[in-house]
Amino acid sequence: MKTIIEPFRIKSVEPIKFTTVPEREEILRRGGYNIFMVPAEDVLIDLLTDSGTSAMSADQWAGIMRGDESYAGARSFYRFRDKVRELTGFKHIIPTHQGRAAERILFSITGGPGKVVPNNAHFDTTRANIEFSGAKAVDLPTAEGVDPDVIADFKGNINIAALREFIEKTGAENIPLCMITVTNNSGGGQPVSMQNIREAKQVCQEYDIPLFLDACRFAENAYFIKLREPGYADRPVKSIVQEMFSYADGATMSAKKDAIVNIGGFIAMNDDGLALEARNLLIVTEGFPTYGGLAGRDLEAIAIGLEEVLDEHYLQYRIRSTAYLGERIVAAGVPILQPPGGHAIYLNAKKFLPHVPVDQFPGQSLTVELYRHAGIRAVEIGSVMFGRHDASGKFIPASMELVRLAIPRRVYTQSHIDYVIEAIIEVFQNRDKLPGYRIVEEPPLLRHFTAKFEPIG
Ligand code: F0G
């Protein structure tokens, strides 16, 4: 059989609310044309993020009931620790309430003024935690990784030649660790090859720099390796995952992605000294080292999710259903960041709305229209999020104007995705009519969350 189906049946359902175009126009007006201001209840299909929005399985919900809520040494902790250790091989496994808590602990210890941390592309919270410590975050993508139109297998790769050059220039003593983000979220959900991880490890080893994975979407990355990298087609995904982690000295993870839970994360490493410092910090702000800001039940659900995510029927459905959305809209001429990523499709708003200049936020215009037209919530990743003004007041746009449609795991069915496809194509057909936007109110930091807009003209 060639039809790929959702590898689950549905036991518990959550109704979604239908609204009319005039109702949504009023909701948008009230929220200052900012999609973050729209109450989730008024969203029909919510593709704002794949983080913490996935559906847990019957087994995970049963695990929630089995959770051991003892303060110290809970059974659920050992179950969690053993599962993470089985997959990663790391000696020290430290739970945190989500990914950015792991990042904050790691960079509070290793960061600080004068330090620089390279990555294929830092996610915003990783960058923020590095910079908050006084250190600098540097992205080292490949040339094909930053070209939205190139179709290549591993556009998430870190640039090995640039990494070596960067270490020589910066001095190994100023680089506390090197990170690789799998899959590369900021670069379009693109995978990193095993060869690239191996080569990055070799370079790091030469200079005695630890390598850490930002492992949020490790299973999706491993499945791409299985599909695309010579020599891996017949390997079980679990063994590909184990090989990926074998080249790393540690990892941070937001369990809200590939552990298929609504909250949780961890930091893991081999270094005893670093682990001791991490646990000391953990106790101050997160909790005792056997729960780290989570309930025992959360640890139980993570342990189960980490096994379920390796099911190859699940991964086949996951990667195929994202590609399906991408391929269908590309066939209608819609410009996207190519090729489709693991967890999301990124619309190329600059090409979608060539008549809207970047300082009028084409990504914002497209995001507003997807909601107005069809009740779909996506997120602008462009000049609203990353644009700024230099000292002379000149507008510096983001490098790309994207709109991300992130797909929660096991939540929407193919007919939901068909609806999304139809909506995007209809918006594309009427794209000439879409206006630019101006900002009428903005906070000093992270303006995309709360800024107010109005349409121009
Ligand atoms: N690293 C990556 C690659 C991420 O995508 C995220 C979160 C984090 C770290 C932080 O994890 O949210 O648990 O603190 N990404 C979400 C997103 C928010 O929508 O892409 P967290």
Side-chain angles (χ1 to χ4, degrees):
M1 293 293 294
K2 73 177 201 331
T3 304
I4 295 166
I5 59 172
E6 288 85 3
F8 48 80
R9 54 183 181 174
I10 297 165
K11 171 172 283 181
S12 179
V13 299
E14 195 178 355
I16 49 180
K17 186 171 128 192
F18 288 81
T19 49
T20 62
V21 171
E23 282 167 350
R24 292 195 292 272
E25 285 173 346
E26 178 52 29
I27 290 165
L28 281 166
R29 247 191 314 273
R30 272 205 311 266
Y33 297 91
N34 186 334
I35 211 75
F36 284 99
M37 294 292 141
V38 174
E41 211 188 356
D42 294 323
V43 175
L44 189 65
I45 308 271
D46 202 346
L47 307 181
L48 186 63
T49 179
D50 65 319
S51 179
T53 53
S54 296
M56 293 209 294
S57 65
D59 206 22
Q60 284 176 299
W61 282 111
I64 292 281
M65 281 306 295
R66 282 198 305 269
D68 176 354
E69 304 302 342
S70 305
Y71 190 94
R75 185 181 62 237
S76 300
F77 168 73
Y78 295 114
R79 185 143 189 231
F80 158 85
R81 183 200 64 183
D82 292 349
K83 180 51 70 184
V84 176
R85 194 175 277 161
E86 180 196 347
L87 298 183
T88 65
F90 296 129
K91 188 169 170 195
H92 301 283
I93 317 290
I94 302 171
T96 59
H97 79 271
Q98 62 183 86
R100 67 198 71 181
E103 293 162 0
R104 190 188 56 79
I105 289 170
L106 180 62
F107 295 114
S108 301
I109 303 166
T110 61
K115 299 281 166 48
V116 194
V117 182
N119 199 331
N120 47 353
H122 289 280
F123 183 67
D124 358 343
T125 59
T126 324
R127 177 180 301 279
N129 275 295
I130 290 169
E131 290 177 352
F132 189 72
S133 81
K136 223 175 114 194
V138 170
D139 292 344
L140 300 173
T142 60
E144 65 185 16
V146 292
D147 183 337
D149 300 321
V150 171
I151 298 186
D153 286 341
F154 292 105
K155 286 175 76 175
N157 282 353
I158 190 166
N159 186 328
I160 299 292
L163 175 62
R164 187 180 287 283
E165 206 177 298
F166 167 81
I167 298 172
E168 285 289 339
K169 200 176 73 207
T170 312
E173 66 283 4
N174 298 316
I175 306 171
L177 56 94
C178 170
M179 284 200 110
I180 297 183
T181 304
V182 294
T183 56
N184 183 346
N185 187 10
S186 309
Q190 303 293 322
V192 177
S193 72
M194 193 72 88
Q195 187 187 342
N196 189 248
I197 299 175
R198 207 182 293 124
E199 286 176 5
K201 173 65 184 175
Q202 272 161 12
V203 173
C204 287
Q205 215 157 17
E206 273 176 50
Y207 295 92
D208 207 15
I209 297 168
L211 176 66
F212 271 62
L213 296 184
D214 176 340
C216 301
R217 300 176 179 88
F218 72 95
E220 291 171 7
N221 198 84
Y223 193 69
F224 276 119
I225 289 175
K226 184 176 174 108
L227 291 180
R228 297 180 180 174
E229 192 159 348
Y232 289 93
D234 298 323
R235 285 263 299 274
V237 171
K238 187 185 275 188
S239 104
I240 297 175
V241 165
Q242 288 164 330
E243 185 181 340
M244 279 165 51
F245 282 109
S246 74
Y247 302 119
D249 301 284
T252 55
M253 163 106 188
S254 166
K256 299 171 73 171
K257 285 81 167 175
D258 267 353
I260 326 187
V261 291
N262 306 118
I263 195 73
F266 61 80
I267 173 170
M269 70 272 279
N270 287 327
D271 187 283
D272 296 335
L274 194 62
L276 184 69
E277 283 187 75
R279 288 201 178 96
N280 286 340
L281 260 184
L282 187 84
I283 292 186
V284 179
T285 57
E286 288 275 302
F288 190 73
T290 63
Y291 71 86
L294 293 169
R297 61 180 88 100
D298 300 322
L299 296 166
E300 195 80 26
I302 294 170
I304 299 166
L306 286 173
E307 189 61 38
E308 288 180 353
V309 77
L310 300 176
D311 177 81
E312 297 190 17
H313 290 294
Y314 161 75
L315 283 167
Q316 182 189 43
Y317 137 81
R318 170 76 178 154
I319 299 304
R320 243 338 280 165
S321 55
T322 306
Y324 171 79
L325 166 56
E327 287 164 11
R328 292 285 298 273
I329 58 177
V330 165
V334 176
I336 69 165
L337 193 160
Q338 286 280 19
H343 67 295
I345 294 295
Y346 296 67
L347 303 176
N348 186 340
K350 214 184 271 185
K351 284 195 170 169
F352 199 115
L353 300 177
H355 63 285
V356 178
V358 288
D359 61 358
Q360 293 182 17
F361 310 117
Q364 187 65 20
S365 176
L366 184 47
T367 305
V368 167
E369 182 61 13
L370 282 171
Y371 178 71
R372 192 197 70 85
H373 183 67
I376 296 166
R377 180 155 65 171
V379 65
E380 193 261 10
I381 303 187
S383 289
V384 173
M385 205 179 261
F386 297 123
R388 57 190 175 81
H389 292 272
D390 69 10
S392 70
K394 189 167 154 267
F395 178 71
I396 315 284
S399 58
M400 291 196 265
E401 303 295 333
L402 302 174
V403 170
R404 186 182 76 170
L405 305 151
I407 319 221
R409 294 164 184 77
R410 306 191 293 207
V411 170
Y412 294 116
T413 63
Q414 185 172 344
S415 56
H416 289 119
I417 298 299
D418 282 331
Y419 173 89
V420 173
I421 291 165
E422 187 181 336
I424 294 170
I425 293 172
E426 284 182 8
V427 169
F428 187 60
Q429 283 159 354
N430 292 311
R431 61 192 180 279
D432 300 349
K433 301 188 191 73
L434 300 193
Y437 281 77
R438 73 169 74 88
I439 294 181
V440 290
E441 217 182 287
E442 68 177 300
L445 273 177
L446 295 171
R447 67 174 177 187
H448 55 284
F449 290 126
T450 53
K452 294 205 161 101
F453 301 84
E454 71 187 16
I456 298 171

